[in-house]
Amino acid sequence: MPPDQPPTGAAGLVAKARAWVDPLVVMILTVLVLGLVVPARGGFADVLEVVRTAAIVVLFFLYGARMATGEVWAGLRNWRLQGSMLAATYVVFPVLGLLVQLLPDDVLAPELKTGVLYLSLLPSTVQSSVVFTSIARGNVAGAITGATISNVAGIVLTPLLVGLLMTRTSGPTGGSVSGILWQLLLPFAVGQAVQPWIGRWVREHASLTRVTDRGTILVVAYTSVSEATVSGAWDHVTVVALVLLLVVCAVMLAVMLTLTWTGGGKLGLARPDRVALLMCGSKKSLATGLPMASVLFSPALAASVALPVIAFHQLQLATCAVVARRLARDVE
């Protein structure tokens, strides 16, 4: 079979399945089921709490250590692209999240609406945004810089927006200011401080941050769901509620894909920059969202908040994989 031809038969089906299903989501769903069926209690729960806190601290330290500050500032010179990415992530998306709060509780449960609002305040992804930009023949360097800046800004902006918007629309979130400072901001700042000495080594050993990312997400997912199960927070979540949540997430994603693509054209961006804006401006970070939720919210609320983040993550991967291939075919 020629190398440029897609696989057929059973191999083709497997390849398509892998393209639509993120292995990380499969692992998360597995630990979610474990948290429902075998929740942590007593001493085991106390140990997991310590492990979760340590994992989050290490995760955000590595975020700071692997981001080259000089490269981020250099990327700001393309101000139209970077400014439009930040506007999509931290202005347009939150507006959509606030509009979802207007839905009746019969359409979407209040705690799920809270999760959708939190989702809208998260930074963009890095890995999938860059990968899909590359597949679609877009500006990869611009995507790397934009997604990186989004994540750096999100360390500060997301907690601030949560405090500003969510306490007004959803009541107290149960988060701790000291937790935000020493579990998120301080480790990131320390990582940035030592970045000139260890940053290159961290970037060369990408498997270290990848394992840390996934391990932290899985620990946070299990402990959050486990604590919610013990407290009875899942008693009112139904299959219908989950389906409605998927519909809401799909509509938000469709709106953002449309706005970022057409908006890039209105701004006069070249096609590669429009692709980068499309891929970075329409995504939200699961890797940042779940660990940060465990710091910002009470355990029961953090578990409910996790559902929209996971649902949107899977939808954005499946949809953008199709969009990226379509854009690539247009170029070819």
Side-chain angles (χ1 to χ4, degrees):
M1 180 183 297
D4 58 342
Q5 294 295 318
T8 59
L13 292 175
V14 172
K16 290 181 180 179
R18 289 177 176 175
W20 281 81
V21 179
D22 182 8
L24 177 59
V25 172
V26 175
M27 290 188 287
I28 291 174
L29 292 177
T30 301
V31 298
L32 292 182
V33 172
L34 286 175
L36 291 171
V37 178
V38 191
R41 301 176 186 272
F44 181 51
D46 295 336
V47 172
L48 277 181
E49 179 65 26
V50 175
V51 172
R52 177 174 66 180
T53 301
I56 292 172
V57 170
V58 172
L59 176 68
F60 281 88
F61 169 79
L62 290 177
Y63 279 168
R66 74 185 181 188
M67 292 180 180
T69 307
E71 294 178 4
V72 174
W73 287 115
L76 287 174
R77 286 178 294 184
N78 190 348
W79 64 269
R80 284 196 302 171
L81 175 60
Q82 304 304 334
S84 57
M85 286 181 181
L86 288 174
T89 302
Y90 294 113
V91 178
V92 181
F93 240 126
V95 170
L96 290 181
L98 289 172
L99 290 176
V100 170
Q101 308 309 301
L102 301 178
L103 292 174
D105 292 347
D106 293 338
V107 175
L108 196 65
E111 63 275 7
L112 294 181
K113 288 194 291 186
T114 299
V116 171
L117 180 55
Y118 172 68
L119 163 72
S120 72
L121 307 179
L122 292 174
S124 178
T125 63
V126 177
Q127 182 177 1
S128 61
S129 295
V130 173
V131 169
F132 288 138
T133 299
S134 176
I135 293 173
R137 310 294 194 270
N139 182 351
V140 175
I144 293 174
T145 304
T148 300
I149 292 173
S150 174
N151 276 261
V152 172
I155 302 298
V156 176
L157 285 180
T158 297
L160 287 178
L161 289 172
V162 166
L164 177 64
L165 299 179
M166 298 191 69
T167 54
R168 293 185 179 181
T169 59
S170 308
T173 60
S176 167
V177 175
S178 62
I180 295 171
L181 290 176
W182 81 268
Q183 291 185 46
L184 305 181
L185 297 180
L186 181 59
F188 180 82
V190 172
Q192 275 285 284
V194 300
Q195 187 271 142
W197 294 278
I198 70 172
R200 181 177 179 181
W201 182 88
V202 172
R203 290 188 290 272
E204 288 176 349
H205 294 77
S207 59
L208 173 64
T209 51
R210 184 164 57 249
V211 170
T212 305
D213 284 350
R214 297 194 171 195
T216 303
I217 291 171
L218 295 177
V219 170
V220 167
Y222 174 74
T223 53
S224 297
V225 174
S226 179
E227 290 169 347
T229 301
V230 173
S231 66
W234 298 110
D235 295 345
H236 55 279
V237 178
T238 64
V239 174
V240 174
L242 294 179
V243 172
L244 292 173
L245 172 64
L246 288 173
V247 172
V248 170
C249 289
V251 171
M252 290 181 66
L253 178 59
V255 170
M256 289 306 301
L257 287 171
T258 302
L259 291 179
T260 51
W261 182 252
T262 57
K266 297 288 186 182
L267 290 171
L269 298 179
R271 183 195 177 280
D273 287 351
R274 289 181 71 186
V275 171
L277 173 59
L278 175 76
M279 294 303 173
C280 295
S282 62
K283 293 192 177 52
K284 290 297 181 178
S285 176
L286 177 77
T288 301
L290 292 189
M292 192 175 285
S294 69
V295 178
L296 297 175
F297 305 108
S298 62
L301 185 55
S304 298
V305 160
L307 286 178
V309 177
I310 295 169
F312 191 88
H313 176 80
Q314 185 61 28
L315 284 173
Q316 72 184 9
L317 290 180
T319 304
C320 289
V322 175
V323 172
R325 293 186 185 111
R326 174 64 182 272
L327 290 172
R329 285 198 300 267
D330 290 344
V331 172
E332 293 167 358

